[in-house]
Amino acid sequence: MLANRSALVGESLAIQDVLKTIDKISQTDSTVLITGESGVGKELVARAIHDKSARASKALVVVNCAAIPAELIEAELFGHMKGAFTGATQNRLGRFEAAHGGTIFLDEVGELPMHLQAKLLRVIQTRQFEAVGSNKTIEVDVRIISATNRDLESAVQKREFREDLYYRLNVIPVKIPSLRERKTDIPALIQHFITQFNGATGHTVEMPQGQILDALMAYDWPGNVRELENLIERLVILKGQGSVDLGDLPHRIFQKFAEGRPAGTGAMSEWEFPRMVLPTSGLDLKAIVEAFENHLVDQALARTGNNKNRASELLQMNRTTLVEKLRKRGMIQTVGSRNRMREDAAVAAGQMNDAVLLSSNANNNNNNGNNGNKNVNGNSGNTTNAINNNGANNGRNSGTGIDL
């Protein structure tokens, strides 16, 4: 990030309800559980609660429970004594003790191992704990705010999360809406991030307008505000100045907008085609068009599970036309070509049989030769004749016409 994390921005009813809740709960020490998808701003809400509280002058200690290995998280949270385990070369203060007088934010609390959930429950109840390797009880004055993108009620039912801990954490629930649930806030968020990153870089990128803004509004933002923030940071850095063009946006974003437009309203515009630049040396237009056509045909087949009827409907062409295109690419074989393949396979099989017979005859010839050695004067001529006759007969019987 180029600057400090952004404050909550938005005028939608959904985000205004969250802001009102923050105002109400910030002046208490009650435990808060913030829920919502990844990237909605759960840490920003925790910071806002802390900054508005009487503890604002003290530390806000952030712990990402999912990012710390299970074997180290207990020592991370509660501290450890020198020699408590391999690698513990000195005493270390835990996160709870570091947050004394302030707030501790347990992000992704749903990822805590079961054995630590019991210890966390005790800390919530008594504000007391022992460091790893110590029998001395430490008492702290700390407010606990936690967050998760998991459904903890479902985790409780599956016995993946302690029920008693869940109710202790969920004294005041705060649900953060996804960005797709408050799309009216997107223009304000874009303006906020452009101003922020322009100021940090000295660049002068303008606020998107018209179809560019429409495309950003149409996108569902699965990564929520974090995804939007990262995109604006990228645009400011790479664009540097001026207005954002269609080619500056990732294809996944304007594709959603293009798919939602009625047929005949720019279906062949830049929205549907990747941004291309004609090289100074020129290009093979036929090859480019063919490659683009094949790409769309492959997408239609993949989307329909190789159903040619449905794929031809998506491509708005006759099924026979689609089949002919696939045949030219070698993706469909005609009856004649399949018959030729069968004939070739039959010939190959016959040749393999010939090889086996010839090998067998050779073994027989060797045996006959050995027997002839026992009676060289009387039978050598007969043995040679037998070998020749056997080889000729085998060749004629196999149909190859091979004559040894």
Side-chain angles (χ1 to χ4, degrees):
M1 304 291 284
L2 294 178
N4 293 331
R5 290 184 178 273
S6 313
L8 290 168
V9 175
E11 298 295 332
S12 65
L13 291 177
I15 203 65
Q16 289 302 311
D17 286 343
V18 172
L19 294 173
K20 290 176 183 177
T21 301
I22 291 173
D23 288 336
K24 291 178 181 178
I25 66 180
S26 60
Q27 301 306 313
T28 73
D29 279 339
S30 299
T31 304
V32 178
L33 177 62
I34 305 170
T35 58
E37 299 175 7
S38 293
V40 294
K42 295 187 288 294
E43 184 176 335
L44 291 182
V45 172
R47 289 183 179 277
I49 294 172
H50 173 76
D51 291 343
K52 288 177 174 289
S53 73
R55 299 174 177 269
S57 60
K58 300 294 184 179
L60 169 66
V61 177
V62 178
V63 183
N64 188 333
C65 300
I68 303 173
E71 62 273 14
L72 297 178
I73 192 167
E74 182 177 7
E76 192 71 25
L77 290 175
F78 307 114
H80 62 77
M81 305 303 293
K82 180 180 179 180
F85 51 85
T86 302
T89 57
Q90 59 185 6
N91 295 344
R92 181 172 180 179
L93 201 69
R95 300 291 186 91
F96 269 95
E97 197 170 356
H100 181 69
T103 304
I104 187 168
F105 174 54
L106 303 176
D107 197 9
E108 303 300 346
V109 71
E111 305 305 319
L112 273 179
M114 289 294 288
H115 72 279
L116 279 183
Q117 293 180 24
K119 191 163 186 177
L120 177 58
L121 178 64
R122 181 193 170 210
V123 175
I124 295 174
Q125 292 172 332
T126 67
R127 296 298 193 270
Q128 295 178 342
F129 60 89
E130 290 79 37
V132 177
S134 172
N135 55 12
K136 178 182 177 182
T137 299
I138 300 171
E139 187 167 340
V140 291
D141 171 25
V142 63
R143 182 180 194 172
I144 299 173
I145 301 176
S146 56
T148 183
N149 58 13
R150 293 186 63 188
D151 182 352
L152 289 188
E153 288 189 6
S154 176
V156 167
Q157 296 297 322
K158 297 176 183 177
R159 299 185 179 277
E160 297 174 351
F161 199 84
R162 290 181 63 110
E163 183 176 16
D164 47 4
L165 176 58
Y166 169 66
Y167 289 121
R168 284 287 184 177
L169 292 174
N170 197 38
V171 175
I172 301 179
V174 179
K175 174 72 167 62
I176 312 300
S178 65
L179 186 53
R180 65 182 173 275
E181 295 174 301
R182 58 183 189 107
K183 284 193 171 183
T184 56
D185 288 333
I186 290 177
L189 285 165
I190 293 173
Q191 183 63 71
H192 174 80
F193 292 138
I194 284 182
T195 302
Q196 173 181 316
F197 293 124
N198 275 341
T201 61
H203 293 174
T204 56
V205 174
E206 299 171 6
M207 172 72 184
Q209 303 291 337
Q211 288 185 327
I212 307 295
L213 183 58
D214 291 341
L216 295 172
M217 293 285 289
Y219 185 58
D220 284 335
W221 300 103
N224 292 293
V225 179
R226 183 186 296 128
E227 183 182 6
L228 175 61
E229 183 176 10
N230 291 344
L231 173 64
I232 300 303
E233 180 178 358
R234 183 199 318 168
L235 291 175
V236 169
I237 292 174
L238 298 181
K239 190 69 179 179
Q241 62 183 358
S243 58
V244 176
D245 299 324
L246 300 181
D248 298 324
L249 296 181
H251 186 264
R252 69 181 186 277
I253 292 179
F254 64 72
Q255 182 181 27
K256 177 76 174 178
F257 175 77
E259 289 176 349
R261 303 181 75 192
T265 55
M268 293 300 170
S269 69
E270 284 185 85
W271 291 104
E272 283 73 33
F273 288 88
R275 192 170 182 84
M276 296 180 181
V277 177
L278 180 65
T280 55
S281 59
L283 51 74
D284 186 341
L285 180 61
K286 183 178 179 181
I288 294 293
V289 171
E290 183 179 356
F292 187 69
E293 178 183 277
N294 291 342
H295 178 63
L296 292 176
V297 169
D298 292 343
Q299 284 191 59
L301 290 171
R303 189 176 300 181
T304 60
N306 288 321
N307 186 307
K308 297 177 187 62
N309 287 331
R310 291 168 55 199
S312 61
E313 291 175 2
L314 281 178
L315 296 169
Q316 298 182 22
M317 66 169 58
N318 292 330
R319 184 183 186 279
T320 53
T321 304
L322 174 61
V323 170
E324 180 63 17
K325 290 180 181 295
L326 296 177
R327 186 191 65 76
K328 289 181 178 179
R329 294 172 61 189
M331 298 176 68
I332 292 181
Q333 296 173 354
T334 63
V335 174
S337 63
R338 285 198 297 269
N339 289 338
R340 284 194 297 273
M341 288 183 65
R342 291 193 186 100
E343 292 172 359
D344 291 343
V347 171
Q351 291 173 345
M352 183 177 295
N353 290 334
D354 290 341
V356 172
L357 288 172
L358 290 172
S359 175
S360 176
N361 288 335
N363 290 334
N364 291 334
N365 293 339
N366 288 335
N367 291 333
N368 290 334
N370 291 335
N371 291 331
N373 289 334
K374 295 178 181 178
N375 192 0
V376 175
N377 293 327
N379 298 323
S380 59
N382 295 335
T383 303
T384 303
N385 292 334
I387 293 174
N388 291 334
N389 291 335
N390 286 338
N393 290 335
N394 286 332
R396 286 191 291 271
N397 290 338
S398 66
T400 63
I402 295 175
D403 194 0
L404 296 181

